[in-house]
Amino acid sequence: MAQGLNPDGTKMEFSVASLDAIADGALDGDTIAYDFVEGITTEVGPRQAGTEAEKRGRDWAVKWLTDQGFQNVADEPFEMDTWVPGKLASAEIVSPFPQPFVISPLGGSTSTGEKGITAEVVEFETFGDLMAAPEGSLKGKIAYISHSMTPTQDGSQYGFAGPARWVGASVAASKGAVATVIKSVGTDYHRNPHTGGTRVVDGMTPAGALSLPDAANLERMFDRAKGRPITMKLVLTPRNLGITTSGNVVAEIVGRDPSLPPVLLACHLDSWWNGTGAFDDGAGCGIAAAAALHVSHTGQPLRTIRVLMAGAEEVGLHGSVAYSKAHIDEKIGVGLESDFGADRIWQIQTNFGKTNPDLAKTLAAAVSRFGVAPSTTVATGGADINISRDQKGAIIDLQQDGTRYFDLHHTPDDTLDKIDPAQLRQNVAVWTQVAGILANYPGDIQGAAE
């Protein structure tokens, strides 16, 4: 049992029992996380990295965190090269089956100009097929890249289908393509394209993602065309704004012992322009902040809890990189990130199961009542805790159910109504339990990474 402080400065005891009660209360009654995500999506909306909208999001978060009683609240700026999607985005089959498609530019795409590009489309069923295409074989043509992504609880199919978006356009350009369109990396069948970043290279060409129903239609067209060329007119008008300012928002629940490295709870504050960033990742920021506040209600923790709401994650992890660069000499005790929606946590993973098995077992046992299973899988951490990886530090992954995540990911459907409040509260309860144990752990959390 350890001594903490009440808000009025009087002593307060922290105990496992009080933490359990607070976490149980969050499961049934937390309103903090929903308040955050409802507020930022209503008052700010989309928060494209490096833009004025993202700045409004940071200002909003700074005020909200300050109003909630966090300490050392700050907006830590960094500069970045900023891309915006432009106003025009269309894809139209000119022949042999004329009709319009719905498309979204991929982050990093160049512009076709307002008049667009009209060219023959060449189909690739997989990214591997594109890789195998001869050099120069796509000269003057538009590459179309498909995949067969399916829903999974752990989101593992993202790694399978993702290369079509991550590097497909740059590979197609290297083979002579004048543009690239992909089947959206997603699992829904709404007519909502999934945007996302693509690798930018010298000689970059226009790149866009078709909605899954339109991609399926295009593939049927190839089957029916029986070798006849399929011609598409593509219009995408993104542009580069040059160097602008983004930033990371940080806030703390200050611990009693400043010599102990803090617990880092991370998320990202930016979103793509086409949705309000509720699932990705307003919910994650609400979960992390709510957990920190709930732990503070058990008394002042032993360690500082630091919340990092990173900027510019979607366009290249700029905020995570900038934070690590700026704070690399400040040791982090353990890092966690919430960036996989708002559905229930089903598994806990650590990277210290062998080096600190007692702590790993304590954490797993503490969250079992919330339906969270232990795992021997070694945690690798989310995108916004680069600093923990750079320091070769302790990492925990609280794995969320991703079955429907890629229905919403990077689409106009990423809106508040998709959040299930009961599942959001389960996240907060689990995070509260884990953060509370970590923040009051006096020993070395890190150990040697597995």
Side-chain angles (χ1 to χ4, degrees):
M1 191 169 287
Q3 293 295 322
L5 294 176
N6 289 308
D8 63 359
T10 58
K11 287 185 177 181
M12 176 181 181
E13 289 186 337
F14 167 79
S15 69
V16 173
S18 64
L19 176 62
D20 289 353
I22 289 287
D24 289 342
L27 180 67
D28 295 328
D30 174 72
T31 59
I32 300 170
Y34 191 86
D35 176 74
F36 180 92
V37 69
E38 187 277 335
I40 199 165
T41 56
T42 301
E43 297 185 28
V44 181
R47 304 172 296 282
Q48 177 78 22
T51 67
E52 180 273 339
E54 190 198 33
K55 175 62 166 62
R56 284 190 287 111
R58 296 199 308 278
D59 291 345
W60 189 95
V62 166
K63 182 179 185 304
W64 186 92
L65 290 161
T66 302
D67 290 346
Q68 293 291 327
F70 280 88
Q71 297 164 281
N72 302 326
V73 181
D75 180 352
E76 300 184 354
F78 58 86
E79 292 188 334
M80 57 172 283
D81 194 42
T82 299
W83 174 98
V84 291
K87 298 295 185 182
L88 301 177
S90 66
E92 176 185 356
I93 299 302
V94 176
S95 66
F97 309 115
Q99 57 186 285
F101 284 163
V102 181
I103 195 167
S104 182
L106 295 178
S109 169
T110 59
S111 177
T112 63
E114 293 186 4
K115 293 183 179 180
I117 292 172
T118 301
E120 181 183 349
V121 185
V122 179
E123 180 185 27
F124 296 95
E125 291 187 5
T126 68
F127 173 72
D129 293 337
L130 172 65
M131 289 289 291
E135 296 299 317
S137 61
L138 296 179
K139 185 176 181 179
K141 297 178 180 179
I142 297 172
Y144 166 69
I145 312 167
S146 188
H147 56 78
S148 299
M149 187 177 182
T150 55
T152 57
Q153 186 179 39
D154 64 359
S156 55
Q157 285 268 303
Y158 190 44
F160 160 73
R165 192 195 85 212
W166 301 332
V167 295
S170 57
V171 172
S174 74
K175 296 177 183 290
V178 294
T180 302
V181 295
I182 69 167
K183 182 180 185 178
S184 280
V185 177
T187 52
D188 67 305
Y189 274 87
H190 293 174
R191 213 172 182 191
N192 285 332
H194 297 239
T195 191
T198 191
R199 185 175 68 180
V200 177
V201 295
D202 291 339
M204 190 65 190
T205 53
L210 294 171
S211 74
L212 274 78
D214 285 310
N217 194 2
L218 178 58
E219 291 167 17
R220 293 195 300 272
M221 290 181 180
F222 278 110
D223 292 340
R224 286 177 180 257
K226 301 186 184 303
R228 288 178 292 167
I230 292 178
T231 303
M232 175 183 286
K233 180 179 180 181
L234 179 67
V235 180
L236 299 171
T237 59
R239 58 195 178 96
N240 196 298
L241 301 181
I243 300 299
T244 69
T245 299
S246 182
N248 295 317
V249 174
V250 294
E252 292 182 336
I253 301 296
V254 175
R256 305 192 306 277
D257 187 347
S259 72
L260 290 174
V263 176
L264 182 67
L265 310 183
C267 60
H268 70 85
L269 200 57
D270 64 308
S271 76
W272 289 104
W273 77 92
N274 58 344
T276 61
F279 236 57
D280 184 17
D281 184 31
C285 290
I287 290 164
L293 285 171
H294 284 305
V295 173
S296 75
H297 297 157
T298 68
Q300 185 183 19
L302 185 63
R303 297 172 184 264
T304 291
I305 302 173
R306 184 174 300 159
V307 175
L308 166 62
M309 298 182 176
E313 185 269 352
E314 297 289 9
V315 296
L317 315 188
H318 296 298
S320 183
V321 171
Y323 185 81
S324 183
K325 183 177 179 180
H327 298 275
I328 193 64
D329 294 330
E330 304 169 22
K331 183 173 171 59
I332 297 298
V334 59
L336 306 79
E337 182 194 61
S338 180
D339 183 17
F340 201 45
D343 286 349
R344 63 178 296 274
I345 294 169
W346 63 280
Q347 188 178 79
I348 181 171
Q349 303 169 359
T350 78
N351 71 343
F352 49 85
K354 293 181 180 178
T355 56
N356 196 333
D358 290 342
L359 178 58
K361 289 175 182 177
T362 295
L363 291 166
V367 296
S368 62
R369 71 185 188 280
F370 299 120
V372 180
S375 173
T376 57
T377 301
V378 178
T380 56
D384 293 309
I385 57 170
N386 268 358
I387 190 168
S388 292
R389 285 185 292 272
D390 293 343
Q391 293 181 353
K392 302 187 185 306
I395 292 171
I396 295 173
D397 288 335
L398 297 174
Q399 297 288 3
Q400 294 165 285
D401 186 345
T403 306
R404 68 182 184 125
Y405 182 72
F406 290 104
D407 289 356
L408 308 173
H409 186 241
H410 297 180
T411 75
D413 264 349
D414 183 359
T415 50
L416 182 68
D417 57 291
K418 308 308 185 302
I419 291 178
D420 177 345
Q423 294 194 68
L424 181 67
R425 291 195 301 271
Q426 188 259 10
N427 276 262
V428 174
V430 174
W431 271 71
T432 298
Q433 189 79 51
V434 170
I437 292 170
L438 296 171
N440 288 283
Y441 185 72
D444 180 15
I445 298 175
Q446 180 177 335
E450 296 184 29

